[in-house]
Amino acid sequence: MARVKLVKKRQVIDMTAMVDVAFLLLTFLILTAQPKETEILPVDVPSSIVSAGVPDDALIITVGDNGKATLRIKDKSIRKKTLEKMAAKYGILFKEKEKNSFEGMEVFGSPLNQINHLLSLTPIEMEKMKHAGIPTDSIGKMPSELFNWVIEARHTAKEIHFKELQVAIKADGNENYTHVKKIIDILQSQKINRFSLVTNLKTKL
């Protein structure tokens, strides 16, 4: 009796669905990815067991490197308008091109009279620049520059978006407390008694 020869069929796996899912995941990751925040004053924040987050549009004051202070103003329109108010208050002239360049700087940490020079630098030069920090000391009866930056940013937020701008302090865990206390005093002098402290979430072992 003759043996029946079985014909082996080549199996084909349809990968269309898997490719579609892969592209959907890739698109989702690209659209939801957040750019890395600029860190001109890197700090090692203390750990905490509190999981409450800081509002994304909060005004963040970073303190580190022996009392240096930087400021993050998330909203571009608030940032530009606040610079114009600060320029008028201190009698410093900024060209429209410089204002537009400053509008793209989410974080800054230089005295107001050095911002013109800062804006003239290339991105590479700016990255290498060592920022002096926003002055936190008052001069006579004149409040500090940081005081004025904060209060003008808050007023601008009310004018543009009709809402109160939340404030947060991001301090290095090893920073001298007197430097942090100075920032707290500046906020309290503006009757800001509720503000956030940026920390790392401590994981439970």
Side-chain angles (χ1 to χ4, degrees):
M1 185 175 178
R3 296 178 63 184
V4 179
K5 189 175 181 180
L6 297 175
V7 180
K8 293 184 179 180
K9 292 184 178 180
R10 187 179 176 184
Q11 291 186 345
V12 178
I13 301 175
D14 188 359
M15 299 291 289
T16 306
M18 189 174 291
V19 172
D20 287 343
V21 171
F23 274 105
L24 281 172
L25 287 172
L26 182 61
T27 304
F28 173 78
L29 290 172
I30 292 172
L31 294 176
T32 58
Q34 295 290 332
K36 184 180 179 182
E37 285 189 8
T38 307
E39 285 285 352
I40 61 175
L41 182 61
V43 293
D44 185 15
V45 296
S47 298
S48 170
I49 59 172
V50 179
S51 60
V54 177
D56 187 56
D57 61 347
L59 185 150
I60 298 179
I61 304 168
T62 303
V63 191
D65 194 13
N66 198 28
K68 289 183 181 178
T70 67
L71 197 61
R72 189 203 83 163
I73 303 175
K74 186 77 172 177
D75 189 287
K76 289 184 177 182
S77 57
I78 295 176
R79 199 155 58 231
K80 183 178 179 180
K81 188 68 177 178
T82 303
L83 177 67
E84 292 174 347
K85 290 183 176 182
M86 289 291 289
K89 181 170 285 188
Y90 285 86
I92 297 176
L93 181 63
F94 288 97
K95 298 176 182 178
E96 193 62 31
K97 183 180 178 180
E98 292 173 325
K99 294 177 186 177
N100 293 335
S101 296
F102 184 79
E103 193 177 16
M105 291 178 59
E106 188 171 311
V107 183
F108 59 96
S110 298
L112 188 66
N113 59 11
Q114 293 182 15
I115 289 181
N116 294 85
H117 171 67
L118 178 66
L119 296 174
S120 68
L121 301 177
T122 64
I124 296 175
E125 291 173 333
M126 199 178 293
E127 189 176 336
K128 294 180 179 178
M129 179 183 173
K130 192 172 179 63
H131 295 261
I134 301 171
T136 57
D137 292 320
S138 56
I139 302 174
K141 293 183 179 180
M142 182 73 171
S144 67
E145 277 190 28
L146 183 63
F147 175 97
N148 286 320
W149 274 110
V150 173
I151 199 166
E152 294 298 348
R154 293 175 62 223
H155 287 165
T156 303
K158 286 184 178 179
E159 292 169 8
I160 297 176
H161 300 299
F162 308 102
K163 69 174 186 177
E164 191 71 40
L165 190 62
Q166 299 298 311
V167 181
I169 298 175
K170 184 179 180 180
D172 193 292
N174 297 317
E175 187 69 15
N176 191 311
Y177 178 70
T178 56
H179 298 144
V180 182
K181 179 66 165 58
K182 188 182 291 185
I183 305 301
I184 294 174
D185 290 341
I186 288 173
L187 297 181
Q188 290 184 330
S189 65
Q190 299 183 29
K191 293 182 170 48
I192 305 175
N193 296 310
R194 296 188 66 178
F195 49 85
S196 303
L197 293 174
V198 179
T199 58
N200 280 327
L201 184 63
K202 185 185 292 185
T203 55
K204 296 180 180 180
L205 297 177

